[in-house]
Amino acid sequence: MAVFVLDRRGRPLMPCSEKRARLMLERQRARVHRLMPFVIRLTDRLIEESTLQPVRIKIESGSKITGLALVREDGESTAVLNLFELIHRGRQISEGLSSRSNFRRRRRSANLRYRAPHYANPARTNGWLPPSLRHRIDTTKSWVRRFIRWAPVSGLASELVRYDLAAVEGDERVSDNQEHAEIAAQEIRAYLLDKWGHQCVYCDSDRQHVQIDPIDLRTAGEPARDISGLILACTSCIARRAGRDISEFVTDRARLERLRNWTKAPQRDRAAVDGARSAIAQFLATTGLPVELASGGRTKWNRTRFALPKSQALDAVCVGAVTAVVCWRIPVIKIKCTGRGRYQRTLVNAHGFPRAHLMRNKRIHNVQTGDRVRATVPTGKKAGIHTGRVAVRSRGYFDVHKPDGPVTGIHHRYCVVLQRADGYSYSM
Ligand SMILES: [Zn+2]
């Protein structure tokens, strides 16, 4: 894992190893700039006196987790510097919004003070995105901006499409023939999974491993000659079909008709573009850095080629054109989106009735929920040093959430703030 390094004036230098960072801190050549992720600032060096190598940020955007990787590329190999997993809030947002609207609905119909009806938001028409999707895009943007501040980023890479059928037909980006065939196979598989909804076309099962059944429905039995004739089936159905003709194997007339219509349909979409990914791609273009936009098929091909385990962060490393991946066995920093608390001060029960009230001030003795603190408790049952995310209580006795569980009821005078809450919690 690499440590981010800034120069005397806060401009980014090449990330260094943890050991080197520790040495420089011991020799007073550096100061701690930030704890999570760890950033140091050199006191005796300027960017002009340093040599920089190309560092790239790679992004693999997912619905629940976005993988981010910082890599150093020198033409022959891709050295992984840092791996991050940005864990989005997901359904929390939509559930919170719909429960709030339900409570308000009740208060409109109940015999209470007047609450004005709420009409559809007119802002929805122009560039509106669902709040949970906007959150995903905004947090990804915010982390890309941070990495650009902390490292000498010279390029970006992101997945734009799930599959790219242009790559199947061959283009100039892929020179080697064998390589081209392998990428094309991944793109075709990604396309078929998307088209047939990750299910077997014969029995609708999505539990088993589905594979391509190379049969052409139009010629009833002969191998398919192009992608529109390919269908996905589970292993047991392919074994049961045992080379029989499709009209013989599928006894359900309606299903057979549906299959035939589907395969006859012309290829309209050459690429499946995801809304969030295209929004992220638009943002990446605004940074002014060179951006590589790749397809999901290529990511998967890279992952199998370098035999990397499946994880969102390592998938990010595999986005786009990749040379031999080295130094990838490093801990992944998990960044969980927690938000900065809520502005509603009334907590409600399941029926929307007030249950309790939150404090008017979020800060108690200059500590706020979400801050990273170190509590040094001298005596008693909780004696020791506890470091972690704090949850404040109005009485002044706080809870410190450590990786191995929370320690409750620590007096505020033992707590020292290490890093202010920034809307994320961090773990390894
Ligand atoms: Zn099946």
Side-chain angles (χ1 to χ4, degrees), residues 183-419:
I183 294 179
Q186 292 293 357
E187 302 285 4
I188 289 171
R189 197 178 149 77
Y191 167 78
L192 291 175
L193 283 171
D194 202 43
K195 181 177 177 182
W196 298 105
H198 293 254
Q199 283 182 341
C200 168
V201 296
Y202 302 127
C203 67
D204 293 341
S205 151
D206 54 1
R207 303 237 178 87
Q208 296 186 57
H209 178 73
V210 283
Q211 65 185 65
I212 294 168
D213 191 2
I215 188 170
D216 201 328
L217 294 165
R218 292 162 302 186
T219 57
E222 281 174 39
R225 274 185 305 273
D226 63 23
I227 189 168
S228 59
L230 294 174
I231 50 180
L232 276 183
C234 68
T235 344
S236 58
C237 279
I238 289 178
R240 276 195 295 124
R241 190 170 73 79
R244 264 187 296 165
D245 193 284
I246 196 128
S247 47
E248 214 178 288
F249 177 61
V250 182
T251 44
D252 182 358
R253 291 283 116 196
R255 184 186 287 270
L256 189 62
E257 199 51 39
R258 206 164 58 234
L259 282 177
R260 288 215 162 115
N261 286 339
W262 260 88
T263 40
K264 260 186 251 162
Q267 305 279 270
R268 262 167 303 163
D269 45 352
R270 311 304 293 163
V273 181
D274 183 325
R277 287 175 183 183
S278 76
I280 289 166
Q282 277 170 24
F283 157 72
L284 296 180
T286 64
T287 57
L289 295 165
V291 182
E292 181 189 7
L293 296 173
S295 76
R298 184 177 271 262
T299 305
K300 193 161 178 219
W301 175 67
N302 281 328
R303 194 178 69 221
T304 30
R305 192 160 58 119
F306 299 117
L308 298 179
K310 169 103 184 102
S311 90
Q312 207 77 22
L314 285 173
D315 268 6
V317 176
C318 295
V319 167
V322 182
T323 46
V325 180
V326 293
C327 318
W328 57 270
R329 285 171 209 275
I330 53 171
V332 178
I333 299 178
K334 290 194 161 58
I335 305 169
K336 189 164 187 280
C337 302
T338 54
R340 295 160 188 271
R342 49 203 289 165
Y343 76 93
Q344 288 109 328
R345 297 286 87 185
T346 308
L347 298 175
V348 290
N349 63 13
H351 307 288
F353 288 98
R355 177 169 64 84
H357 294 277
L358 292 173
M359 291 170 279
R360 198 159 274 266
N361 289 322
K362 278 201 203 166
R363 274 197 186 179
I364 299 293
H365 301 286
N366 211 16
V367 182
Q368 186 178 328
T369 295
D371 288 349
R372 196 177 165 75
V373 300
R374 184 176 55 226
T376 316
V377 185
T379 52
K381 259 192 283 183
K382 290 153 202 161
I385 297 171
H386 312 290
T387 309
R389 188 174 188 270
V390 75
V392 299
R393 303 280 176 261
S394 58
R395 295 279 167 100
Y397 289 89
F398 303 158
D399 301 347
V400 177
H401 292 265
K402 300 204 291 183
D404 53 338
V407 186
T408 53
I410 294 178
H411 197 265
H412 69 84
R413 73 167 169 266
Y414 300 135
C415 296
V416 178
V417 175
L418 301 174
Q419 182 167 298

